[in-house]
Coordinates of all heavy atoms in Angstrom, one line a residue:
D1397 N 11.3 -57.5 -34.6 CA 10.6 -58.7 -34.2 C 11.6 -59.9 -34.2 O 12.5 -59.9 -35.0 CB 9.5 -59.0 -35.1 CG 8.3 -58.1 -34.8 OD1 8.3 -57.3 -33.9 OD2 7.3 -58.2 -35.6
L1398 N 11.3 -60.8 -33.3 CA 12.0 -62.1 -33.4 C 11.2 -63.1 -34.2 O 10.0 -63.2 -34.0 CB 12.2 -62.7 -32.0 CG 12.7 -64.1 -31.9 CD1 14.2 -64.2 -32.3 CD2 12.5 -64.7 -30.4
N1399 N 11.8 -63.7 -35.2 CA 11.1 -64.6 -36.1 C 11.6 -66.0 -35.9 O 12.8 -66.3 -36.1 CB 11.2 -64.2 -37.5 CG 10.5 -62.9 -37.8 OD1 9.3 -62.8 -37.8 ND2 11.3 -61.8 -38.0
E1400 N 10.8 -67.0 -35.5 CA 11.1 -68.4 -35.3 C 10.0 -69.3 -35.9 O 8.9 -69.1 -35.5 CB 11.3 -68.7 -33.8 CG 12.5 -68.1 -33.1 CD 12.7 -68.5 -31.7 OE1 11.7 -69.1 -31.1 OE2 13.7 -68.3 -31.2
K1401 N 10.5 -70.2 -36.7 CA 9.6 -71.2 -37.3 C 8.3 -70.5 -37.9 O 7.2 -71.0 -37.7 CB 9.2 -72.2 -36.3 CG 10.4 -73.0 -35.7 CD 10.0 -74.0 -34.7 CE 11.2 -74.7 -34.1 NZ 10.9 -75.7 -33.1
G1402 N 8.5 -69.4 -38.6 CA 7.4 -68.7 -39.2 C 6.5 -67.9 -38.3 O 5.5 -67.4 -38.7
I1403 N 6.9 -67.8 -37.0 CA 6.1 -67.0 -36.1 C 6.9 -65.8 -35.7 O 8.1 -65.8 -35.4 CB 5.8 -67.9 -34.8 CG1 4.9 -69.1 -35.2 CG2 5.0 -67.0 -33.8 CD1 4.7 -70.0 -34.0
S1404 N 6.2 -64.6 -35.6 CA 6.8 -63.4 -35.3 C 6.5 -63.0 -33.8 O 5.3 -63.1 -33.4 CB 6.4 -62.3 -36.2 OG 7.0 -61.1 -35.9
Y1405 N 7.5 -62.6 -33.1 CA 7.3 -62.2 -31.7 C 7.8 -60.7 -31.5 O 8.8 -60.3 -32.0 CB 8.1 -63.1 -30.7 CG 7.8 -64.5 -30.8 CD1 8.4 -65.4 -31.7 CD2 6.8 -65.1 -30.0 CE1 8.1 -66.7 -31.8 CE2 6.5 -66.4 -30.0 CZ 7.1 -67.2 -31.0 OH 6.8 -68.6 -31.0
H1406 N 7.0 -60.0 -30.7 CA 7.5 -58.7 -30.2 C 8.8 -58.9 -29.4 O 8.9 -59.9 -28.7 CB 6.5 -58.0 -29.3 CG 5.3 -57.5 -30.0 ND1 5.3 -56.6 -31.1 CD2 3.9 -57.7 -29.7 CE1 4.1 -56.3 -31.5 NE2 3.2 -56.9 -30.7
Q1407 N 9.7 -57.9 -29.5 CA 10.9 -58.0 -28.8 C 11.3 -56.6 -28.2 O 11.4 -55.6 -28.9 CB 12.1 -58.5 -29.7 CG 13.3 -59.0 -28.9 CD 14.2 -59.9 -29.8 OE1 14.7 -60.9 -29.4 NE2 14.4 -59.5 -31.1
V1408 N 11.5 -56.6 -26.8 CA 11.9 -55.4 -26.1 C 13.3 -55.5 -25.7 O 13.7 -56.6 -25.1 CB 11.0 -55.1 -24.9 CG1 11.4 -53.9 -24.2 CG2 9.5 -55.0 -25.4
D1409 N 14.1 -54.5 -26.0 CA 15.5 -54.5 -25.7 C 15.8 -53.6 -24.4 O 15.4 -52.5 -24.4 CB 16.3 -54.0 -26.9 CG 17.8 -54.0 -26.7 OD1 18.3 -55.1 -26.8 OD2 18.4 -52.9 -26.5
F1410 N 16.4 -54.2 -23.4 CA 16.8 -53.5 -22.2 C 18.3 -53.3 -22.1 O 19.1 -54.3 -22.3 CB 16.4 -54.3 -20.9 CG 14.9 -54.3 -20.7 CD1 14.1 -55.3 -21.3 CD2 14.3 -53.4 -19.9 CE1 12.7 -55.4 -21.1 CE2 12.9 -53.5 -19.6 CZ 12.2 -54.5 -20.2
K1411 N 18.8 -52.1 -21.8 CA 20.2 -51.8 -21.7 C 20.4 -51.1 -20.3 O 19.7 -50.1 -20.1 CB 20.7 -51.0 -22.8 CG 20.7 -51.7 -24.1 CD 21.4 -50.9 -25.3 CE 21.4 -51.7 -26.6 NZ 22.0 -50.9 -27.7
P1412 N 21.3 -51.6 -19.5 CA 21.5 -51.0 -18.2 C 22.1 -49.6 -18.3 O 23.0 -49.4 -19.2 CB 22.5 -52.0 -17.5 CG 23.1 -52.7 -18.6 CD 22.1 -52.8 -19.7
M1413 N 21.6 -48.7 -17.5 CA 22.2 -47.3 -17.5 C 23.6 -47.3 -17.0 O 24.5 -46.5 -17.4 CB 21.3 -46.4 -16.7 CG 19.9 -46.3 -17.1 SD 19.7 -45.8 -18.8 CE 20.2 -44.0 -18.6
D1414 N 23.9 -48.2 -16.1 CA 25.3 -48.4 -15.5 C 26.1 -49.2 -16.5 O 26.0 -50.4 -16.6 CB 25.2 -49.1 -14.2 CG 26.6 -49.2 -13.5 OD1 27.6 -48.8 -14.1 OD2 26.6 -49.8 -12.4
R1415 N 27.0 -48.6 -17.2 CA 27.7 -49.3 -18.3 C 28.8 -50.2 -17.7 O 29.5 -50.9 -18.4 CB 28.4 -48.2 -19.2 CG 27.4 -47.3 -19.9 CD 26.3 -48.1 -20.6 NE 25.3 -47.2 -21.3 CZ 24.2 -47.6 -21.8 NH1 23.8 -48.9 -21.7 NH2 23.4 -46.8 -22.4
N1416 N 29.0 -50.2 -16.4 CA 30.0 -51.0 -15.7 C 29.5 -52.4 -15.4 O 30.2 -53.3 -14.9 CB 30.5 -50.4 -14.4 CG 31.3 -49.1 -14.7 OD1 32.1 -49.0 -15.6 ND2 31.1 -48.1 -13.9
Q1417 N 28.2 -52.6 -15.7 CA 27.6 -53.9 -15.4 C 28.2 -55.0 -16.4 O 28.5 -54.7 -17.5 CB 26.1 -53.9 -15.6 CG 25.3 -53.0 -14.7 CD 25.2 -53.7 -13.3 OE1 25.5 -54.8 -13.1 NE2 24.7 -52.9 -12.3
D1418 N 28.3 -56.2 -15.9 CA 28.8 -57.3 -16.7 C 27.8 -57.6 -17.8 O 28.1 -58.1 -18.9 CB 29.0 -58.6 -15.9 CG 30.2 -58.4 -14.9 OD1 31.1 -57.6 -15.3 OD2 30.3 -59.1 -13.9
I1419 N 26.5 -57.4 -17.5 CA 25.5 -57.6 -18.5 C 25.3 -56.3 -19.4 O 25.1 -55.2 -18.8 CB 24.1 -57.9 -17.9 CG1 24.3 -59.1 -16.9 CG2 23.0 -58.2 -18.9 CD1 24.7 -60.4 -17.5
F1420 N 25.4 -56.4 -20.7 CA 25.2 -55.2 -21.5 C 23.9 -55.1 -22.2 O 23.5 -54.0 -22.7 CB 26.4 -55.0 -22.5 CG 26.3 -55.9 -23.7 CD1 25.6 -55.4 -24.8 CD2 26.9 -57.1 -23.7 CE1 25.5 -56.2 -26.0 CE2 26.8 -57.9 -24.9 CZ 26.1 -57.4 -26.0
K1421 N 23.1 -56.2 -22.2 CA 21.8 -56.2 -22.8 C 21.0 -57.4 -22.4 O 21.5 -58.5 -22.2 CB 22.0 -56.2 -24.4 CG 20.7 -56.1 -25.2 CD 21.0 -55.8 -26.6 CE 21.9 -56.9 -27.3 NZ 22.1 -56.6 -28.7
I1422 N 19.6 -57.1 -22.3 CA 18.7 -58.2 -22.1 C 17.5 -58.0 -23.1 O 17.0 -56.8 -23.2 CB 18.1 -58.2 -20.6 CG1 19.2 -58.5 -19.6 CG2 17.0 -59.2 -20.5 CD1 18.8 -58.4 -18.2
K1423 N 17.1 -59.0 -23.7 CA 16.0 -58.9 -24.7 C 14.9 -59.9 -24.2 O 15.2 -61.0 -23.8 CB 16.4 -59.3 -26.1 CG 17.3 -58.3 -26.8 CD 17.4 -58.6 -28.2 CE 18.3 -57.6 -29.0 NZ 18.4 -57.9 -30.4
I1424 N 13.7 -59.4 -24.2 CA 12.5 -60.2 -23.9 C 11.6 -60.3 -25.1 O 11.2 -59.3 -25.6 CB 11.7 -59.7 -22.7 CG1 12.7 -59.5 -21.5 CG2 10.6 -60.6 -22.3 CD1 12.0 -58.9 -20.2
A1425 N 11.3 -61.5 -25.5 CA 10.4 -61.7 -26.7 C 9.0 -62.1 -26.2 O 8.9 -63.0 -25.3 CB 11.0 -62.8 -27.6
F1426 N 8.0 -61.5 -26.7 CA 6.6 -61.7 -26.3 C 5.7 -62.3 -27.4 O 5.9 -61.9 -28.6 CB 6.0 -60.4 -25.9 CG 6.6 -59.8 -24.7 CD1 7.7 -58.9 -24.9 CD2 6.1 -60.0 -23.4 CE1 8.3 -58.3 -23.8 CE2 6.7 -59.4 -22.3 CZ 7.8 -58.5 -22.5
D1427 N 4.9 -63.3 -27.0 CA 3.9 -63.8 -28.0 C 2.9 -62.7 -28.3 O 2.3 -62.1 -27.4 CB 3.2 -65.0 -27.3 CG 2.2 -65.7 -28.2 OD1 1.3 -65.0 -28.7 OD2 2.3 -66.9 -28.4
K1428 N 2.8 -62.4 -29.6 CA 1.9 -61.3 -30.0 C 0.4 -61.5 -29.7 O -0.3 -60.5 -29.4 CB 2.1 -61.0 -31.5 CG 3.5 -60.4 -31.9 CD 3.5 -60.0 -33.3 CE 4.8 -59.3 -33.7 NZ 4.9 -58.9 -35.1
K1429 N 0.0 -62.7 -29.8 CA -1.4 -63.0 -29.5 C -1.8 -63.1 -28.0 O -2.8 -62.5 -27.6 CB -1.8 -64.3 -30.2 CG -1.8 -64.2 -31.7 CD -2.3 -65.5 -32.4 CE -2.3 -65.4 -33.9 NZ -2.7 -66.7 -34.5
K1430 N -0.9 -63.7 -27.3 CA -1.2 -64.0 -25.8 C -0.6 -62.9 -24.9 O -1.0 -62.9 -23.7 CB -0.6 -65.4 -25.4 CG -1.3 -66.5 -26.2 CD -0.6 -67.8 -25.8 CE -1.2 -69.0 -26.5 NZ -0.6 -70.3 -26.2
S1431 N 0.4 -62.2 -25.4 CA 1.1 -61.1 -24.6 C 1.9 -61.8 -23.5 O 2.2 -61.1 -22.5 CB 0.1 -60.1 -24.0 OG -0.5 -59.4 -25.1
T1432 N 2.3 -63.0 -23.6 CA 3.1 -63.7 -22.6 C 4.5 -63.8 -23.1 O 4.8 -63.6 -24.3 CB 2.5 -65.1 -22.4 OG1 2.4 -65.8 -23.6 CG2 1.2 -65.1 -21.7
I1433 N 5.4 -64.1 -22.2 CA 6.9 -64.1 -22.5 C 7.2 -65.5 -23.2 O 6.8 -66.5 -22.7 CB 7.7 -64.0 -21.2 CG1 7.5 -62.6 -20.6 CG2 9.2 -64.2 -21.5 CD1 8.2 -62.4 -19.3
H1434 N 7.9 -65.3 -24.3 CA 8.4 -66.5 -25.0 C 9.8 -66.9 -24.7 O 10.1 -68.0 -24.4 CB 8.2 -66.2 -26.5 CG 8.8 -67.2 -27.4 ND1 8.4 -68.5 -27.5 CD2 9.8 -67.1 -28.4 CE1 9.2 -69.2 -28.3 NE2 10.0 -68.4 -28.9
K1435 N 10.7 -65.9 -24.8 CA 12.1 -66.1 -24.5 C 12.7 -64.9 -23.9 O 12.3 -63.8 -24.1 CB 12.9 -66.5 -25.8 CG 12.7 -67.9 -26.3 CD 13.6 -68.2 -27.4 CE 13.5 -69.7 -27.9 NZ 14.4 -70.0 -29.0
V1436 N 13.8 -65.1 -23.1 CA 14.6 -64.0 -22.6 C 16.1 -64.3 -23.0 O 16.6 -65.4 -22.8 CB 14.5 -64.0 -21.0 CG1 15.3 -62.9 -20.5 CG2 13.1 -63.9 -20.6
F1437 N 16.7 -63.3 -23.5 CA 18.1 -63.4 -23.9 C 19.0 -62.4 -23.0 O 18.7 -61.3 -22.9 CB 18.3 -63.0 -25.4 CG 17.4 -63.8 -26.3 CD1 16.2 -63.3 -26.7 CD2 17.8 -65.0 -26.9 CE1 15.3 -64.0 -27.5 CE2 17.0 -65.7 -27.7 CZ 15.7 -65.2 -28.1
I1438 N 20.0 -63.0 -22.4 CA 20.9 -62.2 -21.6 C 22.3 -62.2 -22.2 O 22.9 -63.3 -22.4 CB 21.0 -62.7 -20.2 CG1 19.6 -62.7 -19.5 CG2 21.9 -61.9 -19.3 CD1 19.5 -63.4 -18.2
Y1439 N 22.8 -61.0 -22.5 CA 24.1 -60.9 -23.2 C 25.2 -60.3 -22.2 O 25.0 -59.3 -21.6 CB 24.0 -60.0 -24.4 CG 23.0 -60.4 -25.4 CD1 21.7 -60.2 -25.3 CD2 23.5 -61.2 -26.5 CE1 20.7 -60.6 -26.3 CE2 22.6 -61.6 -27.5 CZ 21.2 -61.3 -27.4 OH 20.3 -61.7 -28.3
H1440 N 26.3 -61.0 -22.1 CA 27.4 -60.6 -21.3 C 28.5 -59.9 -22.1 O 28.7 -60.3 -23.3 CB 28.0 -61.8 -20.5 CG 27.1 -62.5 -19.6 ND1 27.2 -62.3 -18.2 CD2 26.0 -63.3 -19.8 CE1 26.3 -63.0 -17.6 NE2 25.5 -63.6 -18.5
K1441 N 29.2 -59.0 -21.5 CA 30.3 -58.3 -22.2 C 31.4 -59.3 -22.7 O 32.1 -59.0 -23.7 CB 30.9 -57.2 -21.3 CG 30.0 -56.1 -21.1 CD 30.6 -55.0 -20.2 CE 29.7 -53.8 -20.0 NZ 30.3 -52.8 -19.1

């Protein structure tokens, strides 16, 4: 879970099957009550 300011969010981790991509990971954090997207994190190599 992602924890911010006392609030906990579901977090799903995506990793590309193609390891040659410049992006090695994307995380999406979801509001647990509303099921809506809170934040998206994109990580570059």
Side-chain angles (χ1 to χ4, degrees):
D1397 285 355
L1398 171 69
N1399 293 290
E1400 289 185 346
K1401 299 179 180 179
I1403 301 176
S1404 181
Y1405 300 89
H1406 288 306
Q1407 197 163 220
V1408 178
D1409 185 74
F1410 290 86
K1411 292 183 179 179
M1413 302 301 292
D1414 182 358
R1415 302 307 182 190
N1416 294 319
Q1417 295 284 352
D1418 291 334
I1419 307 299
F1420 77 89
K1421 181 168 59 177
I1422 295 177
K1423 289 188 177 184
I1424 304 179
F1426 297 87
D1427 186 300
K1428 289 186 176 182
K1429 293 182 179 179
K1430 299 178 181 179
S1431 297
T1432 53
I1433 295 175
H1434 170 61
K1435 283 187 176 180
V1436 181
F1437 306 92
I1438 301 173
Y1439 300 85
H1440 296 254
K1441 289 180 178 178

